[in-house]
Amino acid sequence: MLLGFTFSLKISIGGRKASSRRKRKEGMRDAPRAPLFLEFIDREMKRVRRRCRRSTCDNYMTARRSFAAFLGGADIPLREVTPQLVSRYSQWLSDRGVSLNTSSCYMRSLRAMYNAAAVKHRIRRCSPFSAVFTGNVPTRKRALGETDMRRIGIADVEEDTVRSWARDVFMFCFYAMGMPFADAMLLRKSRVSDGTITYLRRKTGREVTVGIEPCMERIMRKYAGCDADYVFPVPTGDRFPGGKGYARLLKCYNAALKVLSRDVGLCLPLTSYVARHTWASLAYRRNVPLHVIAQALGHSSPRVTMTYIRELDGSTVRRANKKIIRGFTSATSVQ
């Protein structure tokens, strides 16, 4: 009797252990697999597109494509995104001639996606991006001097070409207190009234008022019959930012400016940013107060404006220092 009880007890215990093992195996099969990093980015982008600007989305997707190329097209679990892997990716970018600022942009985008994935899947973060560069290196000078701007204005450019359109838009943006290219393309004729232009900056929503000077009026009159609603026509693509059509238009504009700068003999290649930076720098050199420049550019703060005018050349700084020293030494000699 006792033997039978012991035997049945062993069977019962053995059965429970086997059942427990089966459940553990089934649980392991049913447990969610570790999230894959690139797969998470693809899913997350659907949400990001609804709440972020297109430029931010483009940055994320460009970084994703670059990282996928580094991985050879494969995907990896999120836990394998380690400081060692990210450092190898940083070196991979450097070996391919990618600039520090571009590499930094990729790293910041991937870091944002990694942090979002770690929070969503409750994964302990190991700060894989802490050892790589995620800052900004000062870019080369973007502002021209007055002489160069005059050379562009009087350059002999064949009329009714994309290059002449680009030159006219560039000069108009400069004359209009550094109006951004996107805002110039969206400038409606209804915004021109009583000798002024009033427009809302697309980026900040701030209202900017520009007095129309004769040089601006000549350019606007040249294109008056080209479009019923807008001041400027578009030779290709789409004037509304955020789509591939606008990207094509901007590329066309910058390409024409690059050719123009080569023809004029400029050391600095022209881009859509140069007119704006040049106006800000020249205004500052002519002692226009910083808060006035900020208002003209539609900036939310003079701190933003400082990024436009921090490129003052050494001669300007030396002249300022000479004025200070002269004032100091003359006052000392009188004493």
Side-chain angles (χ1 to χ4, degrees), residues 69-174:
F70 164 70
L71 296 174
D75 206 345
I76 57 172
L78 192 64
R79 63 174 176 271
E80 293 183 15
V81 182
T82 61
Q84 294 78 15
L85 179 73
V86 174
S87 292
R88 289 202 302 273
Y89 172 54
S90 177
Q91 186 60 50
W92 182 84
L93 291 172
S94 179
D95 292 344
R96 280 153 182 76
V98 177
S99 70
L100 268 178
N101 281 343
T102 300
S103 175
S104 173
C105 183
Y106 291 168
M107 295 299 181
R108 292 196 303 271
S109 298
L110 293 172
R111 181 179 62 188
M113 290 289 101
Y114 172 84
N115 289 340
V119 169
K120 185 170 184 177
H121 294 282
R122 298 180 181 178
I123 294 174
R124 183 181 176 185
R125 281 178 272 186
C126 61
S127 302
F129 296 89
S130 60
V132 295
F133 180 72
T134 54
N136 280 296
V137 177
T139 55
R140 62 183 174 182
K141 185 177 176 182
R142 285 181 171 179
L144 297 174
E146 292 181 8
T147 302
D148 286 337
M149 289 301 297
R150 290 193 194 97
R151 288 164 64 190
I152 296 170
I154 64 174
D156 185 16
V157 180
E158 184 181 353
E159 292 297 331
D160 299 324
T161 61
V162 173
R163 205 184 317 171
S164 66
W165 166 84
R167 191 269 301 273
D168 292 339
V169 172
F170 180 85
M171 294 304 298
F172 180 85
C173 289
F174 170 74

Side-chain angles (χ1 to χ4, degrees), residues 40-291:
F40 174 82
I41 293 177
D42 292 337
R43 289 200 308 268
E44 186 71 3
M45 285 308 301
K46 296 177 182 177
R47 185 179 66 83
V48 171
R49 286 191 181 95
R50 290 196 296 268
R51 63 181 181 85
C52 293
R53 295 199 304 266
R54 183 182 176 85
S55 58
T56 302
C57 298
D58 289 344
N59 287 341
Y60 285 164
M61 289 310 298
T62 303
R64 188 246 186 247
R65 285 193 294 271
S66 173
F67 195 61
F70 164 70
L71 296 174
D75 206 345
I76 57 172
L78 192 64
R79 63 174 176 271
E80 293 183 15
V81 182
T82 61
Q84 294 78 15
L85 179 73
V86 174
S87 292
R88 289 202 302 273
Y89 172 54
S90 177
Q91 186 60 50
W92 182 84
L93 291 172
S94 179
D95 292 344
R96 280 153 182 76
V98 177
S99 70
L100 268 178
N101 281 343
T102 300
S103 175
S104 173
C105 183
Y106 291 168
M107 295 299 181
R108 292 196 303 271
S109 298
L110 293 172
R111 181 179 62 188
M113 290 289 101
Y114 172 84
N115 289 340
V119 169
K120 185 170 184 177
H121 294 282
R122 298 180 181 178
I123 294 174
R124 183 181 176 185
R125 281 178 272 186
C126 61
S127 302
F129 296 89
S130 60
V132 295
F133 180 72
T134 54
N136 280 296
V137 177
T139 55
R140 62 183 174 182
K141 185 177 176 182
R142 285 181 171 179
L144 297 174
E146 292 181 8
T147 302
D148 286 337
M149 289 301 297
R150 290 193 194 97
R151 288 164 64 190
I152 296 170
I154 64 174
D156 185 16
V157 180
E158 184 181 353
E159 292 297 331
D160 299 324
T161 61
V162 173
R163 205 184 317 171
S164 66
W165 166 84
R167 191 269 301 273
D168 292 339
V169 172
F170 180 85
M171 294 304 298
F172 180 85
C173 289
F174 170 74
Y175 294 144
M177 303 193 308
M179 181 184 290
F181 172 72
D183 292 329
M185 292 299 97
L186 294 174
L187 183 60
R188 292 180 177 272
K189 292 179 179 179
S190 58
R191 290 286 185 172
V192 181
S193 177
D194 297 328
T196 61
I197 296 171
T198 304
Y199 71 97
L200 296 178
R201 282 236 28 223
R202 185 188 67 86
K203 190 174 181 179
T204 63
R206 288 180 171 268
E207 185 176 272
V208 179
T209 301
V210 183
I212 299 175
E213 301 297 331
C215 52
M216 299 166 63
E217 192 170 2
R218 282 195 298 271
I219 294 174
M220 288 191 293
R221 198 162 48 237
K222 180 178 176 180
Y223 296 96
C226 296
D227 192 289
D229 296 322
Y230 295 93
V231 171
F232 289 104
V234 291
T236 185
D238 188 356
R239 69 173 72 247
F240 298 101
K244 292 182 179 179
Y246 177 77
R248 192 162 65 250
L249 174 64
L250 181 59
K251 184 177 181 180
C252 170
Y253 178 57
N254 282 325
L257 289 179
K258 186 176 181 180
V259 174
L260 178 64
S261 61
R262 187 180 62 222
D263 292 346
V264 175
L266 301 179
C267 296
L268 175 71
L270 296 179
T271 68
S272 58
Y273 291 103
V274 173
R276 187 166 173 80
H277 282 252
T278 298
W279 188 90
S281 293
L282 293 180
Y284 193 69
R285 286 190 175 96
R286 289 183 173 274
N287 299 317
V288 177
L290 187 60
H291 72 276

